Amino acid sequence: MNSTLRLYDSNPANPQRNAALWCVALLFALATFALGCDLMAADWPQWRGPLRDGHAADQSLSSSWEKRSPALKWESESAGVGYSSMSVVDGRMYTMGADEQDCYVICLDSHNGRLIWKTRVARAGTGSDYSRGWGVGPRSTPTIEGNQAFVLSDVGVVAALNRENGELQWKVDLVADHGGSIPKWGYSESVLIDGQRVVVTAGGEKFMVALNRETGELVWNSEGVDAKAHYASTMKGSFDGTDYYVTAAEIGVVGFDCETGEELFENTVTGNGTATIPTPLLIGDDRIYHTSAYGAGNALLQLSRLDGKILADAVYHESRKSMENHHGGVVLVDGTIYGFTRANGGMWMAQDLMSGETLWQEKIRGNKSGSIAYADGRLYCYNDGDGSVILVEPSRQEWKPLGQIRLPRETEIPRDRGAIWAHPVIADQTLFLRDQDLIFAFDIAG
């Protein structure tokens, strides 16, 4: 036995020393457990973080990059084509990619980028499936829950895998099995796991479906909506004793009863006929903020109940020179919405949540859009044109940059008319960035 691990004194005449040593051992074990809990709490287990709102788990991070830029920890070329972002759990990273034949899920060691496993889940999408002029490959981020990983391919295959070894447990085709139709630019939603339900938007008469997480069998399909699936991901909320799932599409924001799939409410103002992409933000128990591009703008919706029905009325709807978010999402920090608007040629901006007032806008030339995340009091603004990430202090008064980094290199895979659209991920004091086949990990510890 290693002497450094031996705490027990075999001399029975020294019980006081033994008691002291056992106390030291107990304190060490408790400290180790607490450290393990902290590390686990720093995970990013699904699309847009632990709560799907763009906020990272609590962790100690550098507050400025002006004097010392984050160091590159590792890089990988194994991700394949696609715009999928990453999930990070227990020291492992999960993402999706494709080659000319197959769509697959890959698992990397998040500390060094080493490939752990790679599993095929579907065929690769083709030009007959959806328009590939903006790039090819999967768009969804794996959802990690318990010992399983759940994914959605660009052609509509939902799959569950053992997250430890990548073994495929089941898969379901939303088109063949549930009458869905592939959106114009491919399925892009990151599935929601709620208890034993896998919730995903198929489109069509069975607009939203809930599947059994152990078998993939249909639990229910939504009722009351027949519409095309777009590109937003579902959120779970609760209002006045009723749990609901809410998403967005061309029809706008729409909510369904978690237990039955019955439509509960709908508001059309932030839907658009081209591509409704951003995930709705749930504000408290009774409000929803949503934004999308192509002229839709943004709105704060107020939930209320009238004659037993839930209403979702717009407190405001701003559609000119305001937040018109394309793909990169928004975050809410201390009553302020931050994100990238396509209005005015494309700018980062801040907006007052309650009034809808634009507080400031900042142009970063060479970028038409950008994705955002929030962690440890800072905004991480990832520009889709030049591959830069700007660290920004949240402020209602002005744009306050605190340094920036750029991708060490960009992919050689043609993006066609697409750009750098995989969202940034912050986990374990590390910033993870993806550009198609390339993944980079930067040390951002404080």
Side-chain angles (χ1 to χ4, degrees), residues 279-295:
T279 299
L281 281 183
L282 307 188
I283 315 297
D285 295 330
D286 60 353
R287 293 188 298 275
I288 300 170
Y289 176 92
H290 188 246
T291 173
S292 75
Y294 305 102

Side-chain angles (χ1 to χ4, degrees), residues 401-434:
L402 297 168
Q404 70 173 334
I405 59 174
R406 290 181 186 271
L407 296 181
R409 58 193 175 104
E410 293 187 21
T411 184
E412 296 182 2
I413 294 174
R415 301 194 200 96
D416 296 315
R417 288 175 288 170
I420 302 171
W421 286 340
H423 287 211
V425 166
I426 302 158
D428 293 338
Q429 298 180 300
T430 304
L431 171 64
F432 299 95
L433 303 174
R434 178 177 179 181

Side-chain angles (χ1 to χ4, degrees), residues 233-239 244-248 252-256 264-267 269-270 278-291 298-304 310-317 330 332 337 353-354:
S233 293
T234 301
M235 297 285 282
K236 181 184 179 182
S238 183
F239 171 70
Y244 64 85
Y245 299 128
V246 61
T247 189
V253 172
V254 58
F256 302 94
L264 295 175
F265 59 83
E266 185 176 324
N267 189 294
V269 295
T270 55
T279 299
L281 281 183
L282 307 188
I283 315 297
D285 295 330
D286 60 353
R287 293 188 298 275
I288 300 170
Y289 176 92
H290 188 246
T291 173
N298 63 85
L300 180 65
L301 307 182
Q302 177 71 54
L303 300 182
S304 62
I310 297 177
L311 305 178
D313 296 317
V315 177
Y316 60 77
H317 175 219
V330 297
L332 173 65
I337 295 287
L353 169 69
M354 297 307 295

Side-chain angles (χ1 to χ4, degrees), residues 205-338:
E205 292 183 359
K206 299 179 181 180
F207 179 76
M208 180 178 286
V209 297
L211 309 174
N212 183 292
R213 67 175 288 172
E214 301 299 334
T215 65
E217 295 178 349
L218 183 68
V219 177
W220 54 250
N221 56 262
S222 63
E223 299 178 1
V225 173
D226 183 355
K228 295 179 180 178
H230 268 211
Y231 311 93
S233 293
T234 301
M235 297 285 282
K236 181 184 179 182
S238 183
F239 171 70
D240 194 28
T242 301
D243 292 338
Y244 64 85
Y245 299 128
V246 61
T247 189
E250 180 178 355
I251 58 174
V253 172
V254 58
F256 302 94
D257 187 287
C258 289
E259 297 300 323
T260 66
E262 177 187 2
E263 184 186 9
L264 295 175
F265 59 83
E266 185 176 324
N267 189 294
T268 64
V269 295
T270 55
N272 72 77
T274 303
T276 308
I277 303 173
T279 299
L281 281 183
L282 307 188
I283 315 297
D285 295 330
D286 60 353
R287 293 188 298 275
I288 300 170
Y289 176 92
H290 188 246
T291 173
S292 75
Y294 305 102
N298 63 85
L300 180 65
L301 307 182
Q302 177 71 54
L303 300 182
S304 62
R305 195 180 286 274
L306 178 65
D307 297 330
K309 295 183 178 180
I310 297 177
L311 305 178
D313 296 317
V315 177
Y316 60 77
H317 175 219
E318 302 290 340
S319 59
R320 293 178 58 83
K321 299 182 180 181
S322 183
M323 182 65 76
E324 191 180 324
N325 190 256
H326 177 231
H327 80 92
V330 297
V331 295
L332 173 65
V333 180
D334 296 331
T336 305
I337 295 287
Y338 298 93

